[in-house]
Amino acid sequence: MTGPIIQGWCPGALRPMMSGDGLVVRVRPHAGRLTQAQASGLADLAEAHGNGLVDLSSRANLQIRGVTAQSHPPLIAGLRDLGLLDASAEAETRRNILTTPFWQTGDAAPIIAAALEVALAAPDAPDTPAKFGYAVDTGPVPVLRAASADIRIERAGAGLILRADGMDRGEKVTQENAAQRAVALARWFVDSGGCPQGRGRMAAHIATGARPEAATEAMAQTALPVFAPGPTAQGLLLGPAFGQLSASSLRALAALGNLRATPWRLVLVEGLRDDPALPEMIARPDDPLLRVIACTGAPGCPQALGATRALARALAPHVPQGEVLHVSGCAKGCALPAPTDKVLVAIQGGYGLLHNARASDLAPQHFTFADLSANPDLMFETANAP
Ligand code: SF4
């Protein structure tokens, strides 16, 4: 069995990635927010130029699936009309900014995110690796620490700090200079050798002993929050199973309010209080489908060695409350790099089962789709081989 292919880059709108069901076109909303007009326009584009399916990504982006070489140019024109396109593929790649979805009008987060977008669009912006990203996480408590980012802007005490991922200290910044200092930190990362051969992440660079100057302020110590569908002060959080929704569901959401994308594959509908009872959208935190995670799998992903979502749906009611099952189409584990209670990894002829592990860990136990569908308790009766 050959290992999964690590692409080392993420798709964009101008630089789509081929998948089993066609091109994947990733759209990066500005500061994670789509106006109602943008969201319903995106739904129209997904139907007209893709296969009508839209993914919510762990980078708080939306991915239009099933695009062809012929439908890509009119899709790009439509995204430009909606104000959702960057000037170039390079600018799009650099604009890898996660913004806390829990901001109120006048808060620092959207202001800093907008300034960072402008700074990263400059022709002399640092040439960081494709996956290098920023988290603007300036709410009362940080909510994005579990999400991938290389440079983080957070609240610490009464002020803001700029922190290299992997460090527990950062530089004191203000709302006015945070974006400029973030770009300076990215430049330090490049200049100090953080990305040999054009690849590399900040935490790995810090682990080698590299240290930026001025990182003297301690970060806030808080528990990692867990997010589930339900009401928030800014609106209702809800999401589709496996983070994938139809264009018609996206259009229905757009009719309810402006949308904020999150890295938890949930959408926040601004100002909404009550469950709109949309067929595809999960609005209850105890829905069993929230206990399973599954990537595209076969046939949508060319690297997949088996189906994922049908099996995850079948097994979801059997996963105990408080536990998570990850079904992965191969050992790459795209849907979740972190460990979970149970992991099923598709391998030639069946699935490997792991406990408290990542999909990329060795899979010592082997079952077929039929085994698991007929007897879901197999998952709970076995343990990892020594
Ligand atoms: S983990 Fe899933 S989506 Fe990622 S490459 Fe493997 S099969 Fe494809």
Side-chain angles (χ1 to χ4, degrees):
M1 181 178 124
T2 55
I5 301 166
I6 308 295
Q7 304 281 7
W9 57 280
C10 298
L14 292 163
R15 193 174 174 224
M17 184 182 276
M18 183 52 77
S19 189
D21 57 354
L23 294 169
V24 175
V25 171
R26 184 174 285 186
V27 179
R28 299 183 170 180
H30 298 282
R33 185 174 192 249
L34 290 170
T35 63
Q36 290 183 271
Q38 286 176 323
S40 76
L42 208 54
D44 293 346
L45 292 175
E47 274 176 351
H49 306 301
N51 61 12
L53 294 176
V54 178
D55 293 330
L56 306 178
S57 87
S58 61
R59 298 291 314 165
N61 298 313
L62 286 86
Q63 297 182 161
I64 296 175
R65 301 197 69 95
V67 178
T68 66
Q70 292 71 35
S71 66
H72 186 243
L75 171 57
I76 288 298
L79 291 174
R80 185 175 290 115
D81 290 345
L82 291 173
L84 291 170
L85 202 67
D86 294 275
S88 66
E90 292 71 31
E92 174 181 66
T93 301
R94 284 200 298 264
R95 190 170 63 82
N96 194 5
I97 306 168
L98 266 178
T99 308
T100 171
F102 303 123
W103 51 266
Q104 310 270 17
T105 303
D107 279 358
I111 296 169
I112 293 173
L116 195 48
E117 282 196 8
V118 171
L120 292 173
D124 63 345
D127 194 13
T128 46
K131 295 200 170 196
F132 194 91
Y134 306 77
V136 181
D137 196 9
T138 53
V141 291
V143 296
L144 300 176
R145 282 188 182 164
S148 173
D150 297 85
I151 291 179
R152 298 177 186 276
I153 303 167
E154 299 176 344
R155 194 157 292 284
L160 300 173
I161 65 167
L162 173 75
R163 191 164 66 79
D165 193 45
M167 288 189 66
D168 59 7
R169 291 186 172 271
E171 174 186 345
K172 199 170 184 174
V173 292
T174 63
Q175 179 177 301
E176 290 69 35
N177 75 358
Q180 174 219 330
R181 296 306 303 154
V183 172
L185 183 55
R187 200 178 305 285
W188 167 84
F189 168 78
V190 174
D191 293 347
S192 60
C195 51
Q197 288 97 45
R199 291 192 176 195
R201 299 299 300 265
M202 182 68 87
H205 189 44
I206 294 298
T208 67
R211 290 291 178 273
E213 288 178 8
T216 55
E217 302 294 314
M219 72 182 208
Q221 298 294 338
T222 58
L224 280 184
V226 177
F227 295 96
T232 74
Q234 291 77 22
L236 192 69
L237 273 176
L238 66 174
F242 314 119
Q244 186 171 80
L245 71 167
S246 63
S248 56
S249 286
L250 180 57
R251 194 176 292 111
L253 285 171
L256 298 169
N258 297 323
L259 307 182
R260 297 184 192 178
T262 78
W264 316 298
R265 296 190 167 96
L266 299 169
V267 170
L268 188 148
V269 185
E270 289 180 6
L272 188 66
R273 291 280 163 267
D274 300 323
D275 176 5
L278 299 177
E280 277 186 330
M281 303 304 289
I282 299 170
R284 279 187 16 229
D286 60 347
D287 191 308
L289 282 171
L290 294 172
R291 292 175 223 150
V292 288
I293 293 168
C295 67
T296 302
C301 175
Q303 295 192 55
L305 297 168
T308 51
R309 290 181 176 165
L311 183 57
R313 267 185 197 280
L315 296 176
H318 304 276
V319 179
Q321 195 133 19
E323 291 198 8
V324 174
L325 165 68
H326 177 187
V327 184
S328 186
C330 77
K332 193 171 171 185
C334 294
L336 185 73
T340 51
D341 305 287
K342 305 277 187 299
V343 189
L344 286 166
V345 185
I347 53 180
Q348 292 294 350
Y351 295 83
L353 173 65
L354 300 105
H355 297 252
N356 301 314
R358 297 174 173 80
S360 55
D361 295 337
L362 182 68
Q365 294 170 350
H366 178 230
F367 301 101
T368 64
F369 193 115
D371 291 337
L372 290 157
S373 300
N375 186 7
D377 289 339
L378 282 172
M379 286 190 305
F380 308 105
E381 292 166 355
T382 53
N384 287 349

